[in-house]
Amino acid sequence: MMVNYAYRYSAYYLILLIFSKTCILFSYSFSATPTSADSFPLVKTIIMSDQAQEERRKPTTCRRYYSPFLSPQHCGSDTDRSSSSAALIVLNTPIQTTANGSLPDVFRVLWESTTFHVCADGGANRLYDATMEHGVLIPDLITGDLDSIRPDVRSYYEKRGVPIICVEDQNYHDLDKSLMAVEKWLEKKLLPLSYSSSNKYDDGECNGCGEETNVCPASTQTFIYGGFGGRFDQEMACINTLYSWGRKASFQHTQMSIFDEETGVILLPEDPMTNEITIRFPDIEECDDNENIEKCEQLVGEGPTCGLIPIGGRCERVYTTGLKWNLDGDMPLEFGGLVSSSNRVVEKVVTVKASSPLLFSFEIVKR
């Protein structure tokens, strides 16, 4: 009886499916205003499921985000971090030193992990004030409209050969002007990307994004320090800058991120790009013995709490792996609807594929 019932149910389902699709065909053939699949929830669900499967089958490119707080071994490199092509932009926000005058952990790691350092106008004041007690750090460039840099700070850096470039165009923020400098540096720094006969980067495959991946990680990183904790309009201007510069061809192979001592965000480009994210502290057991526990407690990095923020507009489809609450493309992300906040990284690598650009946010923790 159970078998007969199952066959009967399957037959009813098939008849309903054929009838629904026939109705859609007739509506398109005879109606001046064609009926959409929305009129037939069952068919809409089937069509959306087919679209989701098709999205997953598409060949993708892959962009990797490697935490700057990871050792070179985690990043698949035997070289020192400072040898990489990475830039740091210091914004005009306080750099809170420790009680003994040392640099805060996040700023220190970002400075040591990068080879090109730019101060955005008043960011030069912040760098000078934070490092004057233990030896002032020297940036490679100071730029902006220069209405905020103090005369004593400007004189100090000028005497040490730091180029100071005034860009007066008020259609651009000081962050934009700093990114212009990074853009020129990248043009000189980077050689054309080399490809092998398989159309994959010679420096390795992006295994986490699937066998059909044909392009690998971002070849450079640009870190922006100090984009949070101040005026809200300035925070939003920083986020907008991520979106606008993320579209530029010159930053196609550059992973952009914003940090302070408590949080960070990275910009995730849309499909066909699949984003592969490796943070410092996913929610997994990393210290297996007492010898390593003390070491881990002294480290700083991105913590397991994270979010996917559709701040640039509605994102129709998002697919993730490696999160406690993964998304499977069946529900859009948008303000006024679903925003994936307070999620958690539960695997060493997170993958995100989305139909529109997203922000991936994470907390900063110390262990």
Side-chain angles (χ1 to χ4, degrees):
M1 291 294 293
M2 185 64 68
V3 174
N4 291 337
Y5 179 79
Y7 279 123
R8 186 182 305 170
Y9 181 81
S10 300
Y12 289 155
Y13 180 83
L14 180 61
I15 292 171
L16 179 60
L17 173 61
I18 295 172
F19 176 76
S20 300
K21 288 191 173 183
T22 302
C23 288
I24 290 180
L25 290 175
F26 273 99
S27 69
Y28 273 101
S29 300
F30 299 106
S31 174
T33 305
T35 304
S36 70
D38 291 338
S39 303
F40 302 90
L42 174 61
V43 177
K44 180 181 178 182
T45 301
I46 295 171
I47 292 174
M48 289 180 64
S49 177
D50 291 341
Q51 289 175 340
Q53 292 299 322
E54 184 63 28
E55 290 289 336
R56 290 180 181 273
R57 287 193 291 265
K58 283 182 180 179
T60 62
T61 58
C62 176
R63 174 172 292 180
R64 284 176 177 161
Y65 168 81
Y66 278 122
S67 168
F69 307 97
L70 286 169
S71 66
Q73 287 73 23
H74 285 89
C75 300
S77 172
D78 295 328
T79 60
D80 181 75
R81 286 181 304 184
S82 62
S83 65
S84 64
S85 298
L88 172 64
I89 297 174
V90 182
L91 299 182
N92 187 14
T93 55
I95 302 173
Q96 299 291 348
T97 56
T98 63
N100 64 359
S102 299
L103 289 171
D105 292 327
V106 172
F107 181 83
R108 174 182 51 80
V109 171
L110 293 180
W111 186 277
E112 294 173 354
S113 301
T114 50
T115 56
F116 187 62
H117 308 103
V118 179
C119 288
D121 197 359
N125 301 335
R126 308 295 187 174
L127 181 65
Y128 177 85
D129 293 341
T131 61
M132 59 183 300
E133 291 186 11
H134 298 277
V136 176
L137 296 177
I138 305 298
D140 295 281
L141 182 74
I142 299 171
T143 189
D145 58 11
L146 305 184
D147 64 343
S148 299
I149 186 171
R150 301 198 307 264
D152 62 313
V153 173
R154 178 168 184 165
S155 175
Y156 179 90
Y157 286 124
E158 282 180 333
K159 290 178 179 178
R160 283 152 183 81
V162 177
I164 300 177
I165 301 175
C166 180
V167 182
E168 295 183 352
D169 192 339
Q170 295 303 308
N171 291 318
Y172 298 97
H173 295 276
D174 286 336
L175 177 54
D176 291 305
K177 298 167 185 178
S178 298
L179 285 166
M180 293 175 189
V182 171
E183 183 179 37
K184 292 180 180 179
W185 174 75
L186 289 173
E187 291 174 356
K188 297 177 181 179
K189 174 75 175 177
L190 298 180
L191 295 174
L193 296 172
S194 70
Y195 292 83
S196 63
S197 58
S198 63
N199 197 32
K200 294 183 179 180
Y201 282 110
D202 292 334
D203 59 352
E205 298 182 1
C206 194
N207 297 324
C209 297
E211 295 180 357
E212 294 183 346
T213 299
N214 55 21
V215 177
C216 262
S219 57
T220 65
Q221 294 201 67
T222 297
F223 303 106
I224 300 164
Y225 182 85
F228 304 111
R231 282 171 29 205
F232 183 73
D233 62 322
Q234 291 182 337
E235 292 182 353
M236 290 299 97
C238 288
I239 297 298
N240 180 64
T241 300
L242 282 188
Y243 275 84
S244 59
W245 280 81
R247 298 191 186 101
K248 292 174 69 70
S250 55
F251 276 72
Q252 181 180 0
H253 300 290
T254 299
Q255 179 67 67
M256 301 176 65
S257 54
I258 303 176
F259 280 89
D260 67 6
E261 296 298 318
E262 297 181 354
T263 190
V265 297
I266 56 178
L267 176 65
L268 304 182
E270 72 274 21
D271 181 54
M273 192 76 75
T274 295
N275 300 276
E276 187 178 276
I277 303 162
T278 304
I279 68 169
R280 182 65 187 89
F281 293 120
D283 195 9
I284 57 178
E285 189 65 32
E286 203 169 66
C287 297
D288 296 326
D289 53 63
N290 292 332
E291 181 180 349
N292 290 329
I293 290 177
E294 182 179 356
K295 180 179 179 181
C296 287
E297 289 175 346
Q298 297 173 351
L299 296 177
V300 64
E302 309 96 335
T305 304
C306 66
L308 287 166
I309 315 299
I311 201 167
R314 178 184 173 97
C315 184
E316 291 289 345
R317 295 175 300 280
V318 186
Y319 309 93
T320 67
T321 65
L323 300 177
K324 185 174 183 179
W325 295 282
N326 280 311
L327 302 172
D328 57 8
D330 63 347
M331 185 175 294
L333 296 183
E334 62 179 333
F335 282 94
L338 175 65
V339 173
S340 179
S341 61
S342 298
N343 211 324
R344 291 183 75 81
V345 176
V346 295
E347 296 181 15
K348 289 185 177 181
V349 177
V350 171
T351 65
V352 180
K353 185 177 181 181
S355 59
S356 302
L358 292 173
L359 288 181
F360 184 84
S361 64
F362 40 74
E363 63 177 335
I364 298 296
V365 297
K366 298 178 181 180
R367 294 185 179 178

